[in-house]
Amino acid sequence: MKCIFIVNPRAGEGKAQETIKDAIEKLPQKDECEIYLTKAANDATRFVREYCEAHKDEKVRFVAC
């Protein structure tokens, strides 16, 4: 199952993306993971909605970070 980590690039004093990227690299299923960086308020909701509409047959897990 694909896993998409949704990250606010300002989180963790701007270090959240790097921290999550390092954690993903340690996972055995790292090839099934990706990071989406939000761009504005409510962007995460828009991204998830549009992703699900475009990939209706794909199983995916979204993780808000």
Side-chain angles (χ1 to χ4, degrees):
M1 176 186 305
K2 184 174 198 170
C3 187
I4 301 176
F5 294 87
I6 300 174
V7 180
N8 177 338
R10 293 182 170 184
E13 298 177 355
K15 298 176 185 174
Q17 178 184 1
E18 194 64 32
T19 301
I20 293 167
K21 181 181 169 189
D22 291 344
I24 289 172
E25 285 300 316
K26 296 175 185 172
L27 297 173
Q29 65 274 30
K30 66 183 175 186
D31 294 335
E32 298 175 23
C33 297
E34 66 181 66
I35 295 173
Y36 176 78
L37 298 177
T38 58
K39 297 166 184 63
N42 299 313
D43 185 45
T45 303
R46 178 206 55 79
F47 171 76
V48 170
R49 183 181 308 115
E50 290 177 4
Y51 190 95
C52 290
E53 288 173 1
H55 302 89
K56 292 181 180 183
D57 295 331
E58 181 181 349
K59 289 187 178 185
V60 63
R61 174 178 292 136
F62 296 97
V63 181
C65 304

